[in-house]
Amino acid sequence: MGKYLVFLGALVLLTTSIKAQDIISLPSPSFKGKISVEEAIKARRTNRDFGTSPLNLNQLSQILWAAYGITGKDGFKKSVPSAGALYPMDIIIVVGKKAVIGLKEGVYLYNSSSHALIRIKNGDKRKDLAKACLYQMWIAEAPVVIVMIGVYERCTKKYGKRGVRYTHIEAGHIGQNIFLQTEALGLKAGIVGAFSDEEIKKILNVKQGIPLLVMPIGHP
Ligand SMILES: Cc1cc2nc3c(=O)[nH]c(=O)nc-3n(C[C@H](O)[C@H](O)[C@H](O)COP(=O)(O)O)c2cc1C
């Protein structure tokens, strides 16, 4: 297959050529869950001990949709509120070897508008990531680790310095959605703020933005 010119919204690169095999469409999310919002809120806890079973693509799709997926009829607005609907976050996932059925180990960028993953790096980078999180090695046991990258410029260009605050607030919204969605799927999430920004940027090939939160997800 040839190369595709993919529009990545206001992502790091405005246009980039990506090989077809590096684009992974995700299954459609479901809009019905097995537990109530109240039960999910009650059960939510930071998990630091993950089981070895892999996730499946439906579970991953559901969690990414809850995190930053499109929910608006306009095909633009997302699952979380965003100051000026500027959506300054990039959602990157680090996938372990044999950790998600049907998905190779690697680093992927979530593209909400097409509900797809774009591979940006090959290989299982979970241990490197755990080391970058001040050697919190439990992170490497989770099949998937979500990393939120705040690209402040998307927000500060309209709101000035206040855009930094708005980006941090958005990270909190995304984090809670990930927590509640994992609970609703019978899965668990952790949350990590202690890490080296520069090391994470290097591991993930991030050229623009700052890592704000790291969230390992998997089976309890
Ligand atoms: C911004 C932020 C950063 C955090 N960083 C870490 C971390 O680096 N390592 C860790 O084990 N837990 C971390 N936590 C989890 C907290 O320790 C946890 O949320 C708190 O103890 C309350 O427990 P609960 O989440 O289970 O209710 C962090 C939480 C937040 C909100």
Side-chain angles (χ1 to χ4, degrees), residues 31-209:
F31 306 127
K32 285 257 184 265
K34 291 199 175 109
I35 65 171
S36 67
V37 175
E38 292 82 354
E39 286 167 317
I41 292 170
K42 175 113 184 11
R44 186 214 64 79
R45 284 274 81 81
T46 297
N47 191 71
R48 300 180 184 87
D49 187 11
F50 292 93
T52 50
S53 318
L55 297 181
N56 62 49
L57 265 188
N58 285 312
Q59 291 167 321
L60 183 60
S61 156
Q62 191 69 34
I63 293 164
L64 290 172
W65 169 79
Y68 221 39
I70 304 290
T71 52
K73 287 194 185 109
D74 52 8
F76 171 70
K77 288 202 171 171
K78 300 187 203 260
S79 57
V80 294
S82 180
L86 292 169
Y87 302 110
M89 213 68 68
D90 281 347
I91 305 291
I92 292 185
I93 61 166
V94 175
V95 177
K97 192 169 184 186
K98 295 190 176 153
V100 179
I101 299 160
L103 190 62
K104 265 183 73 177
E105 64 269 27
V107 179
Y108 299 83
L109 177 69
Y110 174 55
N111 185 23
S112 330
S113 51
S114 58
H115 195 53
L117 293 172
I118 298 157
R119 187 173 13 244
I120 53 179
K121 212 166 176 179
N122 288 311
D124 187 342
K125 302 294 173 196
R126 291 175 301 171
K127 280 202 176 124
D128 293 340
L129 187 65
K131 287 178 189 167
C133 295
L134 314 189
Y135 282 80
Q136 299 187 70
M137 298 313 292
W138 58 270
I139 294 167
E141 305 300 323
V144 174
V145 188
I146 301 175
V147 183
M148 288 179 222
I149 305 290
V151 186
Y152 296 132
E153 295 75 17
R154 289 183 203 149
C155 226
T156 54
K157 71 179 179 205
K158 179 168 182 188
Y159 295 113
K161 274 198 320 207
R162 222 174 163 75
V164 172
R165 179 192 300 205
Y166 292 161
T167 304
H168 294 168
I169 290 168
E170 194 159 321
H173 290 130
I174 297 168
Q176 187 71 350
N177 274 12
I178 291 171
F179 266 123
L180 298 184
Q181 182 66 80
T182 50
E183 287 298 335
L185 293 170
L187 300 171
K188 284 283 175 191
I191 187 163
V192 170
F195 47 73
S196 154
D197 297 352
E198 287 314 311
E199 279 179 44
I200 289 196
K201 283 175 75 171
K202 216 184 292 167
I203 294 162
L204 305 185
N205 266 355
V206 166
K207 303 277 185 285
Q208 203 187 358

